[in-house]
Amino acid sequence: FSNLTLKSNFISDVIYSIDPVCDDDENEDGIHLFNLKDANIPITITQEIKYYLTENDALLEKNQIEAPASYHNQIPYNQIIFARIEEENNCYGISKIKLEVKKLPNIETNATSNVCDNNPSYFAHLNSGILDNVEQIDDYSFIWKKDNIEIMNKTSPTLDVNIAGIYTVTIKNKFNCLKTRTIDVTPSSNATFESIDITDLQIDDSNKITINVSGKGKYEYGLNAPNGPFQDSNIFNNIPSGIHDLYINDENGCGI
């Protein structure tokens, strides 16, 4: 007769973790670059580690991950990798490595607003654009900047401004992941009349008025009614004879 020695593989219950990463590689899909060696699984000088996608692959030594220092997880946000520890080509044990990708703040990244050159008491109300449940606002922190210069002591989710510029708010969530929202605040103003062209005394009463204005606003035009209705065109046709009042409204809210 002969002796047969059987050895069993040890699969550790310990899960080694690589520090979670933020999904900040410009493609928010839960996939990120990892160095599997950062798990720092303890081995002796005579041992080596090989990495596999599944426990069965690690047992059968197939489908080895060939570039563990530059591995992109295949399961978004959370994945377990299996590390086979060998000594002299014998399996010493199999350990698990947890990979985790944290989501960035869920926000609208771009917005526009305006202030009124003619009214310094008019303030634009800027917000951080968070799309998640606002009841969890304490999970975030905020840093506001104007034209890339930090606005000191402004750490709330909103900001009221009356000066035009490029405003940004950098939002950090509870995972310490950052995302920035940019708000372009442009100047506006009420209109200044430059000239009014009148074509009148038409036989068919097809009198016409053309209103020429200047200013930084976005304007709409009304006839004989200070509160509208307004129209986008600066031309009024078929105007009856008589005295008429013209009203120019800034659609950005800077006045009539």
Side-chain angles (χ1 to χ4, degrees), residues 30-32 53 65 71-79 81 99:
I31 305 299
H32 208 278
L53 293 178
I65 296 173
Y71 175 74
H72 286 86
N73 56 305
Q74 298 184 11
I75 301 176
Y77 301 108
N78 288 281
Q79 184 174 354
I81 296 295
L99 307 180

Side-chain angles (χ1 to χ4, degrees), residues 95-180:
S95 296
K96 301 175 183 177
I97 302 173
K98 180 181 180 181
L99 307 180
E100 187 172 8
V101 180
K102 296 294 189 181
K103 292 183 178 182
L104 305 185
N106 183 21
I107 65 170
E108 291 181 350
T109 54
N110 293 284
T112 60
S113 188
N114 72 274
V115 292
C116 298
D117 276 357
N118 60 296
N119 183 8
S121 65
Y122 178 95
F123 281 78
H125 185 69
L126 311 184
N127 66 74
S128 52
I130 294 177
L131 300 175
D132 291 331
N133 190 343
V134 294
E135 294 180 359
Q136 306 299 322
I137 199 69
D138 290 341
D139 290 338
Y140 302 91
S141 62
F142 308 89
I143 296 176
W144 288 91
K145 294 182 180 180
K146 177 185 179 294
D147 300 328
N148 211 33
I149 298 175
E150 184 174 346
I151 304 173
M152 302 304 295
N153 302 318
K154 298 296 183 181
T155 57
S156 67
T158 61
L159 181 70
D160 293 330
V161 302
N162 65 347
I163 300 175
I166 301 296
Y167 291 82
T168 61
V169 54
T170 299
I171 303 152
K172 182 168 69 174
N173 62 17
K174 62 183 178 181
F175 306 121
N176 290 322
C177 295
L178 306 175
K179 198 170 184 179
T180 298

Side-chain angles (χ1 to χ4, degrees), residues 3-99:
N3 294 325
L4 177 63
T5 301
L6 300 178
K7 293 184 178 180
S8 60
N9 295 315
F10 173 70
I11 300 179
S12 173
D13 289 331
V14 176
I15 298 180
Y16 294 90
S17 293
I18 296 174
D19 289 340
V21 297
C22 296
D23 198 6
D24 55 4
D25 57 358
E26 300 183 357
N27 189 14
E28 294 180 53
D29 55 1
I31 305 299
H32 208 278
L33 180 68
F34 290 90
N35 183 349
L36 301 182
K37 298 177 182 180
D38 288 342
N40 294 320
I41 298 175
I43 59 175
T44 67
I45 194 172
T46 59
Q47 294 174 338
E48 65 173 341
I49 299 179
K50 297 179 180 179
Y51 303 90
Y52 300 87
L53 293 178
T54 69
E55 182 179 309
N56 192 56
D57 285 351
L59 289 170
L60 300 178
E61 296 185 79
K62 67 177 185 179
N63 300 321
Q64 179 183 343
I65 296 173
E66 298 295 341
S70 56
Y71 175 74
H72 286 86
N73 56 305
Q74 298 184 11
I75 301 176
Y77 301 108
N78 288 281
Q79 184 174 354
I80 297 294
I81 296 295
F82 295 85
R84 177 187 173 105
I85 303 169
E86 293 186 356
E87 186 167 8
E88 298 178 353
N89 205 35
N90 293 316
C91 183
Y92 181 80
I94 296 176
S95 296
K96 301 175 183 177
I97 302 173
K98 180 181 180 181
L99 307 180

